[in-house]
Amino acid sequence: RLQSLWQQLSWLQAHPEHCHGGNHWLENLTALAIGGLQFDGPQANAMHRRAMDLLQPELASQLLADGGHEERSASYHLLMLSRLIELGAALQAHNFQRPFWLVESIEAMTVWAEAVRLEKGGFPRFNDSVLESGLPPASTFSQAPLTDLASTGWTLIRPGHGWELVFKCGVPCPRHLPPHVHSDLLSFDLF
């Protein structure tokens, strides 16, 4: 199993999905960064260092000013946030410092996720988002009546009594990733 894992990591390093960009590239980089920590030797160390060196500028590029992920999908955002937290935990388990840029990215993405989390525990379903299930309702739910995530292009209106309106009114996708555009611009979710 370990040999198979090393072969897969080596193959991924030689065949990254950077051409697809977005979450695909971040997934590759976090897998290589974590995978490189699981093995000893100069090749594993180089794999880890290279992935970390590429991840820092890629995160700076893909995270929007409001903390959202550039693909403007709650599902992708939460998936990438989970991967970054896993990377931080792996670094800590190996007695490595968690770099400031990684901690800062996790914090910004967490703030965004908390801002868009719905009262009943789900998330808006724009772009490639699925219906989140299994999340408990927020026990101490207290959100601003108006949240404008200008970079993401989402506006959340919460007038009270359990009503939530999420309106998508911004850029549909990153300019460099047109395959990620969806036809839900100017659409809304009403909860």
Side-chain angles (χ1 to χ4, degrees):
R1 289 183 188 164
L2 290 175
Q3 183 180 3
S4 175
L5 178 58
W6 177 252
Q7 289 172 342
Q8 291 175 56
L9 286 166
S10 297
W11 188 91
L12 179 60
Q13 182 168 270
H15 302 88
E17 292 184 273
H18 57 78
C19 59
H20 298 295
N23 68 305
H24 295 262
W25 187 218
L26 290 179
E27 282 273 8
N28 285 188
L29 292 173
T30 55
L32 291 168
I34 294 168
L37 291 173
Q38 307 310 310
F39 294 91
D40 293 324
Q43 288 179 309
N45 291 337
M47 176 185 289
H48 170 75
R49 281 193 313 274
R50 179 179 179 273
M52 293 295 287
D53 289 345
L54 292 169
L55 183 60
Q56 180 180 5
E58 197 59 36
L59 273 177
S61 170
Q62 289 195 32
L63 289 187
L64 304 171
D66 59 19
H69 182 255
E70 69 176 350
E71 291 182 48
R72 294 154 174 92
S73 159
S75 290
Y76 289 164
H77 181 95
L78 295 170
L79 179 68
M80 293 320 314
L81 176 57
S82 174
R83 296 299 180 263
L84 295 173
I85 291 169
E86 184 179 2
L87 174 58
L91 289 168
Q92 184 172 345
H94 282 80
N95 296 319
F96 291 123
Q97 283 270 2
R98 290 170 295 170
F100 178 74
W101 56 265
L102 178 62
V103 173
E104 192 174 61
S105 297
I106 290 170
E107 288 174 354
M109 292 179 78
T110 300
V111 168
W112 185 93
E114 289 172 355
V116 303
R117 184 171 183 204
L118 301 170
E119 185 173 350
K120 302 231 186 239
F123 291 89
R125 296 177 301 234
F126 299 129
N127 290 0
D128 273 346
S129 285
V130 297
L131 180 61
E132 301 288 337
S133 61
L135 289 172
S139 58
T140 57
F141 193 79
S142 167
Q143 296 280 21
L146 177 67
T147 302
D148 183 29
L149 299 167
S151 297
T152 300
W154 294 5
T155 301
L156 293 87
I157 301 169
R158 295 177 167 113
H161 307 292
W163 288 93
E164 295 177 279
L165 173 68
V166 186
F167 183 69
K168 183 177 177 185
C169 52
V171 176
C173 71
R175 289 182 185 254
H176 63 280
L177 288 176
H180 288 268
V181 71
H182 294 268
S183 61
D184 59 359
L185 191 60
L186 301 178
S187 64
F188 65 91
D189 276 342
L190 178 63
F191 302 92

